[in-house]
Structures are given as C-alpha cells and as structure tokens.
Amino acid sequence: MYQAQSDELFFFNAHTAALPLYEAFAGELFRLFPSTSIRVQKTQITFSNRHVFACVSLARVRRKTELPDPYLVITLGLPYPLASERVAVKTEPYPGRWTTHIIVGAQAELDDQLWEWVSQAYNFALAK
C-alpha cells in the first residue's frame, strides 16, 4: 500500500477523507509507472515522466452538490477529446492537447478504463 509523504499529507490536511482515494491512485500509478516523478504544489499534485501526464486536485469542476464526498479530480493530458460520461470537463488549451478532468469518488472508480486513459496520457507525455 502506498504511504503518502509529508508534503502529500499536508496537501490533504483540510480534506483528510480524500486521502485514501489519493493513496490508492498514487499506489497503482507508481506500480504501473515506477519512474514517475511527483511534485506537490499548492493546488495540485503533478505526476510526470518527460512531461506532465496526470494531476490530482480537489478542484471544483462541478457544483458542490454534484460532487461526491470525498472526491478527487484526476486531470490527464491526452491527444484527443475523451468521450465518456465520466469526464467532468475537457478543454483544448492548444491544438492536439486536451486537458481532461475526471471526478473520482470511490476506489472502485479507479478501474481498468481509468488506467487505460492514464496509460495513454503517460505515453502521450513521453512522445512530446
């Protein structure tokens, strides 16, 4: 099981209920992509290889009443717009790069479909 480090724990200080979701996500991410770098910032935790491929945040990408409690927002950089009802928001900050926000409210949502998207984001970041 993944154990969050002190800076990650501090990030979740006001949202401790979301920490188990994060630890489940980060644990699987580091199992699949062990050479991943992590950077904890004020508003997000960033995962990168050559470039950023995923972020975790507590951003409000929907109305508060529409968000599960607890929740995480997993943001992926993809080369295409992801067509799924699981996507909360997607934008194209520049041609050929789509920023996709996915809300996760339970560990069961860290499923094979999500990991396929994370893998695509990882490979897209390597190829840039």
Side-chain angles (χ1 to χ4, degrees), residues 1-24 26 38-42 44-45 47 56 58 72:
M1 169 129 191
Y2 182 78
Q3 294 270 220
Q5 301 300 305
S6 60
D7 53 349
E8 294 164 289
L9 292 172
F10 184 76
F11 181 88
F12 288 97
N13 195 37
H15 304 277
T16 56
L19 183 60
L21 281 174
Y22 170 75
E23 288 180 327
I38 184 172
R39 189 172 81 215
V40 179
Q41 300 167 279
K42 186 176 180 176
Q44 69 185 22
I45 299 173
F47 301 94
V56 168
L58 299 164
L72 293 177

Side-chain angles (χ1 to χ4, degrees), residues 47-58:
F47 301 94
S48 58
N49 47 41
R50 285 185 50 203
H51 301 283
V52 173
F53 66 90
C55 300
V56 168
S57 71
L58 299 164

Side-chain angles (χ1 to χ4, degrees), residues 30-47:
F30 284 116
R31 187 188 74 75
L32 293 170
F33 311 109
S35 62
T36 296
S37 298
I38 184 172
R39 189 172 81 215
V40 179
Q41 300 167 279
K42 186 176 180 176
T43 60
Q44 69 185 22
I45 299 173
T46 304
F47 301 94

Side-chain angles (χ1 to χ4, degrees), residues 32-108:
L32 293 170
F33 311 109
S35 62
T36 296
S37 298
I38 184 172
R39 189 172 81 215
V40 179
Q41 300 167 279
K42 186 176 180 176
T43 60
Q44 69 185 22
I45 299 173
T46 304
F47 301 94
S48 58
N49 47 41
R50 285 185 50 203
H51 301 283
V52 173
F53 66 90
C55 300
V56 168
S57 71
L58 299 164
R60 259 201 215 145
V61 293
R62 291 211 172 130
R63 292 184 191 139
K64 187 175 182 179
T65 58
E66 297 174 349
L67 293 170
D69 185 24
Y71 75 95
L72 293 177
V73 175
I74 298 173
T75 302
L76 303 174
L78 294 166
Y80 60 90
L82 188 59
S84 171
E85 61 189 37
R86 296 177 69 178
V87 173
V89 178
K90 59 187 167 194
T91 59
E92 188 178 24
Y94 57 87
R97 179 175 171 90
W98 287 84
T99 301
T100 305
H101 302 286
I102 302 162
I103 299 169
V104 173
Q107 289 188 24

